[in-house]
Amino acid sequence: MNVHTVELGQPLGPNMIRSFCRLQRWFSFPQRDKKNRSCRSITDFVRAASDTVSACPDQLTSCMYPADGIQKVTLVRNPSQLGYFYLVVVVNLEALYRQTATVESFSSFTNERLQRCSQEFERIMAEYSGMRLRPLVEWSVRRVDYAIDLRYPGLVPLYVSLMKQGRTPRGMEMRRSYEGSYYLESPNEDVTINFYDKAAQLRHERTLCNHDRLLLEAEGLLRLEVQCQGRKLNHLVDLVRRRSLLYYGRTIRTFLHEELANAVVQDYFYRAVGYQDYYTFPAAVAKLDEQRGRKDMKQRIVHFLQQVRMTGSVSAAIDAYRQGIMPDGTTAIIYGPESSLQNILHEYLPRYGLNPVLLPEEWNGGILQNPMPENLRIYRPAALRAS
């Protein structure tokens, strides 16, 4: 299990911010920002942010990146203290470790690898800022992105398409949907789930890929990512303490535990996708017929899968079940009490090894394995849940 990126923050007082104002060439405001035309440099921003009368944006983002591994640098004003700011840096740990762009995410959380990252970070930031800033391991974590990278050449677009047809976990909403990616967010944005085709992402965001080597490396790479910030970080800290893992405050070492990373990814993957393999509708019915069980229970599963096939997704089939009406206005194939629906989703389908998401009818062989490797699965992830 890996970490893709971390967002780190360090406070800057008046003395440090005066030194930081020398970095004019690193920061600029977008030309379309008509509201803040008076702020065209970091000096203007700092001056306006220190004045209670002046209108000023909350932050200023660097338009240049100092080195591989540093994805974004932002100066954020502290609204509770005039003249005080936060320096916020988004770090790709694997690129920082290698000192070259890569599609791989950071794995093997050893002290040696973290020490190498810390040395590179301190060197880059010293050259970038002209100041002596805190070591990497002392910066506060504002966000951490846990991920698992899976290689499925030729199958990644299909897997992402199937995930989009799955159920939306309770407390999550689909806010964005791009070709080759599937985003779910909590209403307060403390958690974002992202399943995506890495090669498709690089082609979509061409500025992230200035040579073909990365595109070649990204082919066949399916990334499952869970971004945690805000209150979710507090929940992760609680989980670290409950499981007696090493705790270093809200710094990066607290969040670099293999057990913690796997628990987070498996929890949300289980809720959004499940661990069952995918089947075409005929193959699912055949698998159901081969197994022992009550006829009425099997019949309800078949009816629900028919509803999935007709509505096009599990979420739509669930809505039809609850409302008793299909999207076209006809009566739902299956509907009833909520308890019965939950039994179908969380008891009957897993018992028979069926994923409610259906493969296209023309899929050769009628079955596709679940993308999550068996050795990483946690079959009772709710027991590890931090929220």
Side-chain angles (χ1 to χ4, degrees):
M1 206 58 57
N2 308 335
V3 168
H4 180 211
T5 53
V6 290
E7 183 179 281
L8 307 171
Q10 173 180 331
L12 297 179
N15 292 334
M16 293 187 75
I17 203 65
R18 278 194 290 272
S19 300
F20 212 73
C21 283
R22 295 196 301 266
L23 305 177
Q24 302 286 356
R25 66 190 182 92
W26 292 99
F27 291 87
S28 68
F29 284 88
Q31 295 299 316
R32 63 180 180 273
D33 190 354
K34 298 179 181 179
K35 180 180 177 182
N36 300 296
R37 281 179 173 171
S38 61
C39 292
R40 287 288 174 240
S41 70
I42 186 173
T43 304
D44 292 339
F45 170 74
V46 169
R47 185 183 298 115
S50 303
D51 187 347
T52 57
V53 179
S54 301
C56 176
D58 291 330
Q59 60 187 41
L60 183 63
T61 300
S62 170
C63 59
M64 300 177 67
Y65 307 130
D68 288 316
I70 308 297
Q71 290 192 345
K72 186 178 180 182
V73 179
T74 305
L75 191 62
V76 182
R77 69 187 183 98
N78 184 341
S80 62
Q81 281 187 293
L82 287 177
Y84 287 77
F85 298 81
Y86 295 102
L87 182 62
V88 178
V89 182
V90 177
V91 180
N92 181 317
L93 289 172
E94 188 63 25
L96 184 67
Y97 177 79
R98 299 187 187 192
Q99 272 305 282
T100 187
T102 179
V103 300
E104 302 295 334
S105 49
F106 191 71
S107 60
S108 183
F109 306 153
T110 63
N111 289 330
E112 291 76 14
R113 284 171 59 83
L114 185 58
Q115 180 64 28
R116 167 74 180 275
C117 288
S118 185
Q119 291 171 353
E120 294 295 341
F121 180 82
E122 291 164 32
R123 176 185 62 79
I124 293 167
M125 295 307 294
E127 294 174 1
Y128 173 81
S129 67
M131 297 182 293
R132 184 174 179 82
L133 300 171
R134 293 178 181 177
L136 173 71
V137 294
E138 294 182 12
W139 286 55
S140 296
V141 172
R142 295 164 58 96
R143 194 188 83 198
V144 58
D145 300 349
Y146 293 116
I148 179 170
D149 293 338
L150 304 171
R151 293 282 179 179
Y152 288 104
L155 292 175
V156 174
L158 176 60
Y159 274 125
V160 174
S161 174
L162 293 171
M163 290 171 179
K164 286 184 177 182
Q165 298 171 45
R167 62 181 181 268
T168 302
R170 189 173 68 175
M172 306 296 290
E173 301 173 0
M174 189 168 70
R175 298 281 184 89
R176 295 171 287 172
S177 182
Y178 306 114
E179 182 180 356
S181 66
Y182 177 45
Y183 286 86
L184 293 169
E185 290 180 342
S186 60
N188 54 16
E189 299 183 358
D190 286 348
V191 179
T192 299
I193 307 172
N194 186 10
F195 304 142
Y196 61 99
D197 180 340
K198 185 61 181 178
Q201 183 216 22
L202 291 179
R203 287 190 291 267
H204 178 70
E205 301 177 5
R206 191 67 190 184
T207 55
L208 296 177
C209 186
N210 54 16
H211 44 68
D212 292 334
R213 175 180 63 83
L214 292 182
L215 280 173
L216 195 61
E217 289 180 7
E219 287 299 331
L221 177 59
L222 172 65
R223 175 164 291 160
L224 315 174
E225 182 177 289
V226 181
Q227 301 173 359
C228 306
Q229 60 185 344
R231 289 182 299 177
K232 186 63 180 180
L233 291 180
N234 296 334
H235 296 147
L236 295 183
V237 167
D238 290 342
L239 184 58
V240 166
R241 287 170 165 168
R242 289 204 308 269
R243 300 190 68 80
S244 300
L245 301 174
L246 292 177
Y247 174 68
Y248 303 91
R250 288 284 288 266
T251 62
I252 189 170
R253 288 185 294 178
T254 292
F255 301 96
L256 292 185
H257 293 292
E258 289 275 356
E259 183 178 346
L260 176 67
N262 193 43
V264 171
V265 172
Q266 295 302 326
D267 177 20
Y268 287 101
F269 181 87
Y270 181 83
R271 286 196 267 171
V273 179
Y275 290 145
Q276 293 74 42
D277 293 335
Y278 297 102
Y279 294 86
T280 60
F281 179 76
V285 173
K287 180 178 176 64
L288 199 58
D289 288 340
E290 292 171 357
Q291 301 180 72
R292 306 171 88 178
R294 291 186 358 233
K295 286 188 178 180
D296 62 327
M297 181 193 303
K298 290 185 176 182
Q299 192 62 42
R300 293 186 69 78
I301 294 174
V302 171
H303 286 164
F304 184 77
L305 293 178
Q306 286 178 322
Q307 198 147 288
V308 171
R309 181 169 63 167
M310 293 184 66
T311 58
S313 74
V314 176
S315 292
I318 290 173
D319 289 341
Y321 181 100
R322 288 172 172 160
Q323 298 169 14
I325 301 174
M326 299 287 276
D328 61 3
T330 60
T331 302
I333 298 172
I334 182 173
Y335 55 91
E338 183 69 20
S339 58
S340 180
L341 172 63
Q342 296 306 315
N343 286 339
I344 292 171
L345 293 173
H346 302 296
E347 182 181 348
Y348 302 158
L349 285 165
R351 180 185 302 176
Y352 290 103
L354 297 173
N355 197 305
V357 176
L358 296 171
L359 285 167
E361 296 286 323
E362 63 274 12
W363 181 256
N364 187 30
I367 182 174
L368 177 67
Q369 72 173 20
N370 189 285
M372 184 60 66
E374 178 72 33
N375 65 311
L376 295 178
R377 300 177 187 181
I378 302 174
Y379 281 90
R380 297 193 65 186
L384 296 171
R385 194 163 299 164
S387 64

